């Protein structure tokens, strides 16, 4: 019997082994998890007689004088498959059954093959702007930040760092010479769509050929620059311009990039620009609304985007622009100007407490509905009721009901919307008929129904923002019996419409009641002093 067991008489001791092995790839390293319970301190690990951890790969052997729940294997510089064995030993150097895993680290060779999106480049003879219209994060990497450096024409080394939505404005460059820029991208590469553990630096040199002063540029707002007297679009030709004026309907300020010496901006339109106009011709109503000087209750229909105003901000930061004249909320760039307020660069135009609406902005409601919205309008009224002592009537017009839903409209051109952040209220005066005229069946015509919207339904092409309409409650604008046949003030609170693109207000008489409209006596109304108020 003993002869039979003799070949197996040497005892082999196997210490406790790690219960799993999972790897996570980093840059020239891998992290290997060894326990299903996760990463815990060595003091909390109990594995019988096991005392130390051994990691082996290639000809390397790493000894850790404790038990660990994970290990960090570094210095894996070759882009190849490493087969890593991890096991424990006891005090007598007995080995446990090893855990084995095959890993391929991310190395410099992989970094060298990474490519990021190229920037969009805008150049003038003395400056360059680089930005990235699309996200730098893609299927191969996650973008974290961008550092850059270059030398200007004075030999000064310029450095900077960008994070979200990177943009580089480089000034004081040599015209007609190459502009050399080093871009250092901080990115986290991905393997099979999964980010690795580490970020890496990707260095990308960029050489840009700078134009000369005689090179022609293509302005984004040609008509506006032409109104400023510019006919030749080269850097040399515009070098003498130190002031530019822009109207409230401006879409972009990016042309400032070509004006190396501009010191002053007038963003009010000044005396150079009139308001836009809009022609109507429908249902026998023919009228051009708008035109004339800027009115403070008007703002641009959609704010100038931060990107399209960024050149202005760049020039402000560099101290090149020394003065900006601006009407609050008019272009929607107030948040961009605010950081420069304390320097005294921004001159805000003081707007009046009230702004009267000129009559060339009023439109006969028949333009929308020739029958139901019909009114006989007399603009201006020839013999309106007298106003009380001390009250001045302005822009009085007469409206005689001819349709069940008689309506007139106040509208501004489609390039604008109401400046509700500046003017919260619409106010006007109304003189209503006698109670006997609007009683019984016609009692609803003792009230008014304001309706605010982006466009009249027959003119949907006037707005690209859809219809953001809202109707107020007509019963809130009912004129009391004791205020009939006298001039009465009406106030419409527009605060709820502050974030909309509203540019049309329809004033409906009666609130569109359900009845047969056949009055025996004319219903005559007078309106005056339509204005926006703070």
């Amino acid at each position: 019997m003993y002869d039979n067991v003799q070949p197996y008489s040497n005892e082999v001791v196997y210490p406790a082994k790690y219960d799993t092995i999972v790897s996570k790839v980093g840059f020239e390293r891998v992290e290997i998890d060894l326990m299903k319970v996760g990463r815990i301190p060595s003091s909390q690990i109990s594995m019988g007689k096991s005392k130390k951890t051994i990691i082996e790969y290639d000809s390397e052997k790493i000894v850790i004088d404790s038990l660990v729940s994970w290990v960090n294997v570094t210095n894996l510089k070759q882009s190849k498959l490493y087969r890593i064995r991890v096991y424990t030993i006891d005090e007598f150097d007995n080995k446990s059954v090893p855990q084995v895993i095959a890993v391929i680290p991310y190395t410099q060779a992989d970094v060298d093959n990474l490519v990021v999106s190229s920037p969009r480049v805008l150049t003038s003879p003395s400056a360059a702007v680089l930005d990235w219209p699309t996200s730098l994060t893609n299927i191969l990497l996650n973008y974290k930040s961008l550092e850059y450096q270059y030398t200007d024409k004075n030999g000064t080394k310029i450095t900077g760092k960008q994070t979200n939505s990177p943009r580089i404005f480089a000034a004081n460059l040599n015209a007609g010479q190459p502009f050399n820029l080093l871009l250092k991208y901080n990115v986290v590469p991905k393997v099979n769509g999964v980010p690795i553990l580490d970020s890496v630096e990707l260095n990308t040199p960029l050489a840009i050929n700078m134009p000369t002063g005689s090179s022609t540029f293509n302005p984004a707002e040609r008509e506006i620059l032409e109104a400023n007297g510019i006919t030749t679009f080269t850097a040399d030709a515009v070098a003498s311009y130190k002031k530019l004026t822009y109207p409230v309907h401006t879409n972009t300020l990016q042309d400032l990039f070509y004006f190396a010496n501009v010191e002053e901006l007038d963003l009010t339109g000044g005396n150079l620009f009139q308001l836009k106009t809009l022609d109507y011709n429908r249902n026998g109503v023919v009228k051009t609304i708008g035109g004339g000087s800027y009115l403070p209750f008007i703002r641009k229909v959609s704010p100038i985007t931060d990107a399209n105003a960024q050149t202005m901000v760049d020039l402000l930061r560099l101290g090149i622009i020394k003065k900006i004249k601006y009407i609050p909320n008019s272009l929607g760039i107030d948040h961009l100007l605010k950081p420069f307020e304390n320097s005294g660069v921004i001159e805000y135009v003081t707007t009046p407490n009230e702004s009267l609406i000129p009559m060339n902005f009023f439109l006969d409601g028949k333009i929308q509905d020739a029958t139901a919205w019909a009114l006989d309008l007399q603009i201006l009224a020839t013999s309106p009721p007298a106003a009380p002592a001390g009250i001045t009537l302005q822009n009085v017009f007469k409206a005689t009901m001819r349709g069940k839903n008689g309506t007139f409209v106040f509208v501004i051109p489609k390039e604008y919307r109401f400046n509700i952040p500046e003017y919260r209220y619409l106010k006007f005066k109304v003189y209503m008929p006698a109670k006997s005229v609007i009683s019984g069946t016609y009692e609803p015509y003792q009230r008014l129904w304001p309706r605010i919207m982006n466009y009249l339904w027959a003119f949907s092409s006037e707005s690209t923002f859809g219809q953001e309409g809202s109707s107020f409650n007509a019963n809130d604008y009912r004129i009391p019996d004791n205020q009939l046949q006298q001039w009465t003030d009406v106030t419409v609170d527009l605060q709820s419409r502050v974030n909309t693109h509203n540019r049309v207000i329809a004033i409906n008489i009666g609130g569109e009641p359900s009845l047969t409209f056949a009055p025996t006596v004319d219903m005559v109304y007078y309106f005056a002093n339509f204005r926006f108020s703070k």
Side-chain angles (χ1 to χ4, degrees):
M1 180 177 66
Y2 292 104
D3 291 340
N4 293 334
V5 298
Q6 184 64 34
Y8 309 102
S9 60
N10 293 326
E11 180 183 23
V12 178
V13 177
Y14 292 97
K17 70 172 184 177
Y18 288 112
D19 61 10
T20 189
I21 187 164
V22 179
S23 69
K24 296 178 182 177
V25 175
F27 178 67
E28 297 184 347
R29 70 184 185 99
V30 293
E31 291 184 5
I32 298 177
D33 287 282
L34 300 168
M35 301 189 73
K36 293 179 180 178
V37 295
R39 297 185 177 185
I40 59 175
S42 295
S43 61
Q44 297 180 17
I45 301 175
S46 177
M47 294 175 59
K49 295 182 179 182
S50 296
K51 300 297 182 181
K52 298 181 181 181
T53 303
I54 311 296
I55 302 105
E56 292 181 351
Y57 64 93
D58 291 352
S59 60
E60 299 291 329
K61 182 176 182 179
I62 302 169
V63 179
I64 301 175
D65 290 333
S66 64
L67 300 177
V68 293
S69 60
W70 69 281
V71 294
N72 181 25
V73 183
T74 61
N75 203 34
L76 305 179
K77 295 182 178 297
Q78 298 183 53
S79 183
K80 68 168 192 172
L81 187 145
Y82 290 84
R83 194 172 299 277
I84 299 176
R85 304 170 73 248
V86 184
Y87 56 89
T88 66
I89 59 174
D90 62 15
E91 60 182 321
F92 302 109
D93 290 339
N94 292 307
K95 300 179 181 180
S96 72
V97 176
Q99 292 281 16
V100 182
I101 193 169
V103 298
I104 301 176
Y106 202 91
T107 66
Q108 186 60 47
D110 299 300
V111 174
D112 293 340
N113 290 325
L114 272 182
V115 177
V116 296
S117 301
S118 298
R120 178 176 58 182
V121 179
L122 181 66
T123 59
S124 73
S126 62
V129 169
L130 290 80
D131 64 5
W132 287 258
T134 58
S135 174
L136 286 172
T137 293
N138 55 45
I139 193 172
L140 297 178
L141 57 86
N142 287 336
Y143 164 80
K144 304 294 288 185
S145 64
L146 168 65
E147 296 180 39
Y148 62 90
Q149 65 181 47
Y150 66 90
T151 302
D152 68 13
K153 69 179 181 181
N154 296 330
T156 303
K157 184 178 180 180
I158 308 296
T159 62
K161 183 176 181 178
Q162 299 280 319
T163 52
N164 297 330
S165 303
R167 183 178 187 276
I168 300 172
F169 182 90
N172 197 30
L173 306 179
N174 288 307
Q177 297 184 19
F179 166 46
N180 296 307
L181 181 70
L182 177 60
L183 303 174
K184 300 179 180 180
Y185 298 94
N186 180 15
V187 301
V188 178
K190 296 178 183 179
V191 176
N192 297 326
V194 178
I196 70 170
L197 296 170
D198 306 308
S199 63
V200 300
E201 185 177 274
L202 182 61
N203 294 330
T204 304
L206 183 65
I208 301 171
N209 292 321
M210 300 297 291
T212 65
S214 60
S215 301
T216 301
F217 64 87
N218 185 27
E221 295 278 20
R222 179 177 291 270
E223 291 184 3
I224 291 175
L225 296 186
E226 288 175 343
N228 279 270
I230 299 165
T231 56
T232 303
F233 296 97
T234 66
D236 288 343
V238 303
S240 62
Y241 281 82
K242 295 189 174 183
K243 177 181 178 180
L244 291 173
T245 299
Y246 283 84
V248 172
H249 53 263
T250 298
N251 290 317
T252 178
L253 299 172
Q254 70 179 34
D255 290 335
L256 293 174
F257 177 70
Y258 301 103
F259 291 79
N261 300 311
V262 65
E263 296 181 354
E264 183 177 349
L265 293 183
D266 184 346
L267 301 180
T268 71
N271 296 321
L272 290 183
F273 297 95
Q274 299 286 294
L275 290 172
K276 291 287 189 175
T277 60
L278 186 57
D279 295 325
Y280 283 97
N281 185 349
R282 187 173 184 269
N283 293 340
V285 178
V286 179
K287 187 172 184 178
T288 297
I289 61 100
S293 300
Y294 172 78
L295 296 163
F297 60 80
I298 285 176
R299 66 179 297 192
K300 190 176 184 303
V301 68
S302 58
I304 293 180
T305 64
D306 289 5
N308 282 335
Q310 187 59 48
T311 299
M312 175 196 70
V313 175
D314 292 332
L315 296 176
L316 282 168
R317 287 174 177 165
L318 292 172
I320 295 174
I321 293 180
K322 298 177 173 59
K323 179 181 178 182
I324 292 181
K325 188 175 182 181
Y326 180 70
I327 302 164
N329 298 299
S330 58
L331 291 173
I333 57 173
D334 304 63
H335 62 292
L336 298 178
L337 299 177
K338 189 173 182 61
F340 304 96
E341 290 177 356
N342 293 336
S343 66
V345 175
I346 313 302
E347 177 191 338
Y348 290 109
V349 175
T350 301
T351 54
N353 288 330
E354 294 191 329
S355 181
L356 191 69
I357 303 172
M359 295 311 295
N360 61 311
F361 289 91
F362 284 89
L363 192 61
D364 191 331
K366 289 194 289 287
I367 195 81
Q368 171 63 39
D369 190 327
T371 304
W373 280 26
L375 291 171
D376 279 346
L377 289 175
Q378 187 182 80
I379 303 176
L380 298 163
T382 55
S383 54
I391 301 297
T392 300
L393 297 178
Q394 296 176 282
N395 295 344
V396 184
F397 61 95
K398 178 181 178 182
T400 304
M401 295 288 291
R402 293 295 181 237
K404 181 172 72 73
N405 304 322
T407 302
F408 60 89
V409 181
F410 162 54
V411 58
I412 57 179
K414 58 187 178 181
E415 290 82 5
Y416 313 105
R417 61 168 152 165
F418 301 132
N419 193 358
I420 298 176
E422 194 73 5
Y423 291 97
R424 175 173 176 171
Y425 303 101
L426 173 70
K427 295 183 177 182
F428 58 92
K429 292 181 179 293
V430 61
Y431 188 101
M432 282 203 165
K435 180 65 177 179
S436 58
V437 177
I438 48 175
S439 60
T441 301
Y442 299 103
E443 183 270 340
Y445 293 99
Q446 196 171 332
R447 61 185 187 176
L448 302 171
W449 191 26
R451 308 174 74 176
I452 187 168
M453 60 198 82
N454 292 6
Y455 54 86
L456 289 172
W457 296 275
F459 303 93
S460 59
S461 63
E462 290 180 2
S463 174
T464 59
F465 304 98
Q467 180 61 281
E468 300 172 335
S470 176
S471 297
F472 298 93
N473 190 334
N475 290 323
D476 292 340
Y477 302 95
R478 179 183 176 84
I479 305 302
D481 290 353
N482 62 359
Q483 294 182 29
L484 299 176
Q485 287 193 294
Q486 60 179 279
W487 286 105
T488 302
D489 289 311
V490 177
T491 298
V492 182
D493 189 344
L494 304 174
Q495 181 62 27
S496 63
R497 314 306 301 160
V498 69
N499 294 319
T500 62
H501 299 86
N502 296 153
R503 46 172 285 276
V504 177
I505 297 178
I507 304 295
N508 169 272
I509 300 173
E512 297 193 354
S514 297
L515 52 79
T516 300
F517 187 77
T520 57
V521 178
D522 281 346
M523 296 180 183
V524 180
Y525 299 77
Y526 292 88
F527 296 88
N529 295 34
F530 265 94
R531 64 203 184 277
F532 282 90
S533 179
K534 293 184 178 180

